[in-house]
Amino acid sequence: MPSHRLSAADWDLWNVWMEAQRVVTVEVEKALQSQVGVSKAEFSILRTLGGAAEATLRVVDLGAALNWEKSRVSHLLTRMENRDLVERIEEGARGRRTAVTLSTHGHEVLKAASSTHEKTVRRIFIDRLTRDQAAAIRSWGEQTISAMSSAADPPST
């Protein structure tokens, strides 16, 4: 029976991978905050809305797209609405603000944040990879996403 324990080399690989993710995430967060004044989480919402039809999504669909809990989405949307980045709108039941859309200011911030994000990701990640490294990371990532998605899907009956 194979051991499920990680070897020292396995732990080293895992720790390097996790630290690299942390470093990249922190650098992206710092760039977004210092240059545009938005957090990585706010950028995720802006980008998700920006990719939606008419830059509008039901709040529940936004949460599902980001795999976030309802309370996290709601709290962040309130902060973003107070900063005029998004607007909550009625959709469905009258008087219920169940959808969210980018405001005019939100569109402008998304454009600036996207540029900052792209430049930062290119500088700290993309430009440091060889083609073989990029291909290996892409292949591993796609394989992992597919395997985890399949594992999460309920069996069909």
Side-chain angles (χ1 to χ4, degrees):
M1 177 181 267
S3 171
H4 293 291
R5 296 184 57 94
L6 297 180
S7 68
D10 293 337
W11 273 112
D12 186 50
L13 174 62
W14 177 252
N15 289 333
V16 166
W17 170 252
M18 294 305 293
E19 183 61 20
Q21 282 186 297
R22 281 189 286 275
V23 168
V24 168
T25 300
V26 165
E27 287 300 312
V28 169
E29 178 86 36
K30 284 188 334 191
L32 288 169
Q33 284 283 1
S34 67
Q35 296 176 32
V36 189
V38 296
S39 69
K40 188 173 167 298
E42 290 168 331
F43 177 68
S44 295
I45 286 180
L46 293 172
R47 183 130 170 100
T48 302
L49 287 173
E54 298 180 28
T56 301
L57 282 172
R58 291 182 330 144
V59 174
V60 68
D61 294 333
L62 177 62
L66 294 169
N67 198 24
W68 290 356
E69 292 183 17
K70 183 180 175 184
S71 61
R72 181 179 185 190
V73 174
S74 179
H75 176 73
L76 198 48
L77 287 177
T78 297
R79 283 184 23 211
M80 293 175 75
E81 188 175 27
N82 290 339
R83 293 175 50 213
D84 190 34
L85 296 171
V86 299
E87 298 171 7
R88 294 192 204 209
I89 57 175
E90 284 184 24
E91 187 171 285
R94 185 161 169 75
R96 299 226 20 212
R97 299 183 322 150
T98 59
V100 63
T101 190
L102 285 178
S103 66
T104 301
H105 179 61
H107 279 285
E108 294 166 2
V109 170
L110 173 58
K111 184 176 178 182
S114 293
S115 176
T116 295
H117 186 269
E118 289 174 10
K119 289 175 189 171
T120 305
V121 168
R122 174 156 300 287
R123 178 179 54 82
I124 65 174
F125 181 65
I126 301 297
D127 287 348
R128 295 175 185 242
L129 296 173
T130 66
R131 286 184 184 197
D132 288 345
Q133 288 171 325
I137 291 169
R138 174 182 296 281
S139 176
W140 172 82
E142 289 171 348
Q143 178 186 29
T144 301
I145 291 165
S146 176
M148 295 300 102
S149 295
S150 296
D153 291 340
S156 58
T157 53

